[in-house]
Amino acid sequence: MRVTQSMVTSTATIYLMRDLDRLQAAQQKIATGKNYTLASDNPIAATQILHYSSRIAESEQYRRAIDSGLAWNEMTSSALTQVEELLSDILDVSQAVSDGAATSAERAQSAGAINQLLEELVMLANRKFKGKYIFGGDETLTAPFTANYDDAGTLVTGVTANPNGIDGLWGYLVSDVDTVTINTPGSEVFQPNGEGANDDVFVILTDLRAAHEQNDLDALHTQEERLREAILSVADVNAGVGNRINHLESIGEDLDAAVLSYEAQRSELEDADIAEAIIEYNTAENIYQAALASTARILQFSLADYI
Amino acid sequence: MGTIFSSLNVGRLGLLAQQYAMHVLGNNIANVNTEGYTRRRVIMAPTSSVEFGSGLFFGTGVKVEDVQRVRDTFLDVYLRNELGTLGTLDKSNAAYKQIETIFNELSDQGRSLSTVMTEFWDAWQTLSTEPENSAMRQTVVSNGASLASTFQHMRDRLYGLRMDMNTAVSTTVEEVNTLAAQLQELNAQIVASENEPHTANDLRDQRDLIVDQLSKLAGVTTRDFGDGEMVVFINGQMLVSGNTVRTLETAVNADGLYEVQWSDTGGAVDPSGGQLKGLLDARDTTIPSYITRVDALATQIIKEINRLHSQGNGLDLYTTATSGVAVSDPDAVLDSAAGLAFEDEISTGSFWLAVYDADGTLLEEQEISITAGVSTLNTVAAEINADFLANGYLQASVSNGEITIDLDAGAPSGATFSFVKSDGTGDTSGFLLAMELNTFFTGEDADTIDVSSVIQNNPSLLATASSTAPGDNTIALAIGNVRNDTFVIGADTDARTFDSYHEMTVSTLGIESAREGSLLTNQENVVEAFEQQRQSYSGVNLDEELTQLISVEHAYTAAARYITTIDKMLDDLLSIA
């Protein structure tokens, strides 16, 4: 084949450019640490990378929701434990004077103690976490319980719940399909059968206090029995919260494992193997240098040098 | 036998011929780097022989018969075909690379649509964990605004790219016209200066170069009728013939885009190859298909978010609400004739209006029914006014095609109203969604999407609940979980999540762009191979020319020596006297 100078020049230029392009691609891989910069570099991998990235982001969001749910439930559980203890204290106070030996004066005194503990319980039932009433249901910004006092302003005559309802449930989305209920409504803890029912904790306590005041032993024993049941019921609720905490923790662990696996798969696709990239770079550099050297030489020769 | 002077003349002709040959060699060497130059070859032939009366014929010397271009016209035809395809691929590939940059999905720099979408869903899910928190509400609003501006920005850049292609169409048409005019001129010059069998080499070289350029621009084909003229066609329609040249022009069509047409007939020009075809394909097919996909995604997101949002309550309820869109005619049937972008979403059903006092106690709630094919904006307003007539809590008015719902004179101070029944029942008619009442987004596609100004001004109106309880996160949860729902988006046939629809777009783009890229590389190789062949045939090789140089120089020296010899012979002859 006839070869002309301009063929040599243009071929040399084309190959030099290709070699340089390859060198640049290898350099880019090292500099960015990524295998691909455009979707067209590898459309399938690009789609998978996108998919994994959005799954990871989503899982991290679920993880945050779980953490926030765990914090809420731990706070709920600690409040419930305090409620249990407070109710037990009241029972203790009452039992100290519940046999026939105690005098009416002693019972009047214990009535005062019960009243004080009842006020404490109302405060506990109105406890807030992160600015929200723990036992307010979905009416998180309104105190769930209001204590009403007698004319003297000392005795709690009754406790009324927020008329808008304290039984609202709310949950968090912790996976694509699971919405887990997070809150424990105050009604479940303090008024399982509604305000004013026999098992309304506040009714039990006001009645118990009244029994002490009036020195009514029968009523006293009835209310003590109801209080015992109420303590068990709060303990049950607390156990349920504990189960929920375990459930959330196990979902969280599953999520962590899933995120790890997504990250590993994404990294497999996305991250450049630096050792391999450097070898690629060195190869490209050698080829480029060899091409430069040979191009420089081949363009020097001419018959003119010999005539 | 002729005179000794005729022998002297043989030497003279030899000198002359070699000098011509040397000149052509010099010209070849001088043009070694000239684009489009075809090497020349001197064709020498003996001059006619003479019979000098002895019955024997003697040669009378040499003459330069022709200076020929060494060129293979078949190679030209093949090469020009391939150049046309190369031009097309070149431009469409450039468009794909640009679109990929606009989607910007794998890069760490800038924020891609998928990142912004993810952040938007995350913000909703975070809000669902703290619906009372005003900072979270602000985050949802600003992430929504950021999603909207990302959509707008992508749409703008895609549209801008389309306009760039459009401008390039016009520039290319001008270039084609300039080249065609030059070609016609060359045609005329060639015909005028050529004198059979000699050819106007330089003019032909120039013309070949112009045809190459025209092929790359508009995929032209040529026909050479042998009379020195070259006829040029664009997709079978004549561009240049003989002394006539037709010009192309651009006319602005209804979309504001340039249509390429013939100036004389106004007929459309549909190039079969060349950059012009690549530009037109990118402008009219490739880029619009991605604009459509981005639009379809934005439309669906607006629709689904607004559908849920319009069924919810925020921390604050409304004291006044005006629809975000206007109907073309308040007496037109809403679901077909009122010009609403989301009119298809309206069906027979109902929505609720509930009025609360300052303490959040329900005062009155009424169901407003919508009947497909019957209800108009005016009938809806009339129904609201009739239902709330007794207590005078609410009134509705229609102006400029927009409906406004206000507290009426009967409403106590501090009263507010909501679009949700007190038991959580929301809109089942799609009326609120279509009219943009209590919606999160306004707009209908990637170009117009934005967070409703009502929400931006008061994030407490952001709907998170289906009741009026501040801790109720039902709606926020539902919106946060929309990312896992599947929809048949745009012209798709299968239901997909938003994320996977976008992933599809990116992967289609990647696959198409990669395919165009490899087609371009192949085409470059093909063109390169043809160009090498042409160069190999027509290009100047300096070594070859130098070899010729030696041989011509020797021939010249020999001819000169011959003349000296004849001169001596003459001297000898004259010395006899």
Side-chain angles (χ1 to χ4, degrees), chain A residues 1-11 14 18 32 34 36-47 49-55 57-59 61-62 64-65 68 130 132 137-142 164 169-173 175-177 179 270 301-305 307, chain B residues 32-33 39 97 100-101 105-108 114 118 122-123 125-126 128-132 315 359-360 467-473 477 480-481 483-484 499 502-504 506-507 509-511 513-514 524-525 528 532-533 535-547 549-550:
Chain A
M1 177 162 154
R2 224 180 138 260
V3 177
T4 70
Q5 265 72 23
S6 76
M7 282 165 74
V8 174
T9 327
S10 75
T11 318
I14 288 169
R18 283 187 191 163
T32 59
K34 289 191 169 183
Y36 317 110
T37 45
L38 286 176
S40 57
D41 292 344
N42 185 339
I44 306 214
T47 316
I49 290 170
L50 272 191
H51 182 69
Y52 289 134
S53 297
S54 74
R55 296 303 302 176
E58 205 178 356
S59 305
Q61 168 56 38
Y62 292 143
R64 281 195 292 276
S68 155
K130 290 207 256 180
K132 305 202 270 194
D138 55 6
E139 290 285 352
T140 48
L141 300 181
T142 312
N164 288 333
L169 291 170
W170 42 268
Y172 290 171
L173 198 61
S175 77
D176 291 355
V177 287
T179 307
E270 185 179 49
F301 298 124
S302 168
L303 188 57
D305 297 339
I307 54 175
Chain B
V32 65
N33 288 326
R39 75 184 157 110
K97 285 283 169 287
E100 275 197 273
T101 327
E105 279 298 349
L106 296 183
S107 149
D108 282 340
S114 59
T118 304
D122 282 355
Q125 291 193 349
T126 308
S128 78
T129 67
E130 307 245 355
E132 309 87 348
L315 282 181
D359 299 331
S467 68
T468 51
D472 179 359
N473 62 358
L477 272 184
N481 204 23
R483 64 154 73 153
N484 292 315
D499 277 350
H502 184 59
E503 281 160 17
M504 270 282 289
V506 173
S507 94
L509 174 60
I511 289 168
S513 174
E524 279 171 349
N525 288 339
E528 174 61 19
Q532 290 279 347
Q533 271 192 52
Q535 262 296 314
S536 167
Y537 195 74
S538 303
V540 176
N541 176 312
L542 285 178
D543 297 338
E544 183 185 337
E545 301 300 322
L546 287 171
T547 318
L549 189 87
I550 297 168

Side-chain angles (χ1 to χ4, degrees), chain B residues 41-45 63-68:
Chain B
R41 198 166 49 194
V42 172
I43 310 292
M44 293 190 201
K63 64 176 177 189
V64 173
E65 201 169 58
D66 198 3
V67 180
Q68 276 184 350

